[in-house]
């Protein structure tokens, strides 16, 4: 019932910060990928594996629901989905397989350059734009800082200039996006790397054996670079 084909299903980001390195890692593990076209699903030629290319934000849910067997995802997006599901009383289980050596970034609070920031209390009653409402709430609740949130799935960095928010909570990698938008990073909330996760449901022995074999290769590839 799970898959008619019996092939292992791996989800990776379609386009974004994690896509190139996720693909490169799979290739170094010996998978013959044919990802030239824009198809959602592609077959690995030399192993019984299918690759699904989707939006990064969808990957944790696909793994937790067992729709795919493995997912390459940022810990930031994974933790946000876990908190979201917990808040809704939904199942949020997955098996962590391995932290990867790419996709490093931080989830930070940032304010306009002329904002006089003297610690998290400066954000009291501010409106904060973010795509990570659960991580933001956890962080500021722990500090006892009341705030209002403004949920934006994209273009978070333009919210202060557009008058939609006083501050933002967003991912920072090089810092170029903040700089280009006249914002300064004032607080690091969460440090994230890419990570590889497995669905919580037990798999048939063949597919589990294939995952075990793949993980030996993943470990080898990453250790060879260290
Ligand atoms: C993040 C974030 C910024 C950018 C910051 O987006 O939302 O847009 O990266 O990077 P920088 O500090 O190097 O400028 P992400 O790549 O996660 O894409 P997504 O929001 O579309 O998923
Ligand atoms: Zn995204
Ligand atoms: Mg972005």
């Amino acid at each position: 019932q799970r898959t008619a084909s019996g092939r292992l299903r791996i989800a990776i980001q379609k386009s974004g910060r994690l896509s190139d390195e996720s693909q490169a890692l799979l290739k170094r593990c010996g998978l013959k990928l044919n990802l030239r076209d824009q198809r959602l699903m592609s077959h690995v030629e030399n192993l019984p594996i299918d690759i699904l290319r989707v939006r990064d934000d969808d990957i944790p849910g696909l793994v937790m629901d067992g729709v795919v067997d493995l997912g390459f995802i940022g810990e930031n997006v994974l933790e946000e989905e876990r908190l979201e599901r917990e808040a809704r009383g939904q199942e949020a289980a997955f098996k962590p397989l391995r932290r990867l050596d790419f996709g490093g970034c931080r989830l930070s609070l940032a304010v306009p350059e002329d904002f006089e920031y003297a610690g998290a209390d400066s954000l009291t009653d501010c409106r904060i734009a973010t795509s990570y409402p659960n991580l933001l709430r956890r962080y500021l609740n722990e500090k006892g800082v009341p705030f209002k949130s403004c949920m934006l799935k994209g273009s978070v960095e333009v919210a202060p200039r557009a008058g939609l928010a006083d501050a933002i909570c967003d991912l920072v990698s090089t810092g170029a996006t903040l700089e280009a938008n006249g914002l300064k990073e004032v607080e690091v909330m969460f440090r994230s790397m890419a990570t590889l996760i497995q669905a919580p449901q037990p798999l048939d022995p063949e597919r589990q054996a294939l995952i075990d074999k793949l993980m030996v290769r993943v470990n080898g590839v990453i250790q060879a670079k260290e």
Side-chain angles (χ1 to χ4, degrees):
Q1 189 232 317
R2 281 194 21 78
T3 29
S5 62
R7 297 170 69 86
L8 191 71
R9 282 180 294 194
I10 304 180
I12 63 173
Q13 185 181 28
K14 187 176 171 66
S15 65
R17 284 178 309 113
L18 305 181
S19 6
D20 286 353
E21 290 188 84
S22 304
Q23 287 180 31
L25 177 54
L26 288 172
K27 282 182 183 162
R28 276 188 224 112
C29 288
L31 278 69
K32 287 215 163 65
L33 301 180
N34 182 6
L35 301 176
R36 271 174 313 219
D37 50 41
Q38 286 301 299
R39 264 179 305 180
L40 167 73
M41 169 102 99
S42 44
H43 286 275
V44 173
E45 291 163 27
N46 57 335
L47 285 166
I49 298 175
D50 289 336
I51 305 293
L52 266 102
R53 286 180 296 167
V54 293
R55 283 212 35 186
D56 61 341
D57 321 62
D58 291 333
I59 294 175
L62 291 171
V63 174
M64 289 171 185
D65 291 337
V67 176
V68 300
D69 305 306
L70 299 183
F72 285 81
I73 190 61
E75 290 165 333
N76 55 309
V77 170
L78 177 59
E79 183 64 358
E80 176 65 23
E81 178 69 17
R82 202 181 62 75
L83 293 176
E84 174 68 29
R85 288 189 173 218
E86 270 179 6
R88 292 196 308 240
Q90 273 181 277
E91 199 62 46
F94 63 89
K95 294 182 190 161
L97 289 183
R98 200 195 200 286
R99 205 172 193 219
L100 303 170
D101 62 346
F102 60 86
C105 62
R106 48 201 194 269
L107 185 65
S108 293
L109 290 164
V111 296
E113 264 146 18
D114 60 1
F115 187 116
E116 282 173 34
Y117 190 85
D121 282 340
S122 302
L123 295 172
T124 299
D125 296 329
C126 280
R127 187 170 295 279
I128 306 175
T130 192
S131 315
Y132 299 87
N134 292 284
L135 284 164
L136 175 63
R137 194 183 321 115
R138 181 174 74 181
Y139 187 81
L140 288 182
N141 282 358
E142 270 171 16
K143 295 200 174 284
V145 176
F147 70 101
K148 292 169 281 196
S149 73
C150 163
M151 175 65 187
L152 289 175
K153 291 257 180 177
S155 305
V156 172
E157 63 275 1
V158 305
R161 213 172 355 115
L164 298 175
D166 307 298
I168 69 167
C169 158
D170 200 12
L171 285 189
V172 183
S173 172
T174 61
T177 302
L178 293 186
E179 205 189 326
N181 289 280
L183 301 168
K184 60 180 177 189
E185 185 176 10
V186 291
E187 201 114 2
V188 176
M189 295 168 44
F190 188 89
R191 290 187 189 276
S192 175
M193 292 294 283
T195 191
L196 182 52
I197 58 171
Q198 181 177 344
Q201 301 81 3
L203 276 179
D204 56 87
E206 292 79 17
R207 262 184 295 179
Q208 187 57 51
L210 182 52
I211 291 176
D212 297 345
K213 185 166 102 175
L214 190 61
M215 289 315 297
V216 171
R217 294 186 184 182
V218 167
N219 287 326
V221 167
I222 293 175
Q223 272 160 26
K225 282 196 277 177
E226 276 167 0

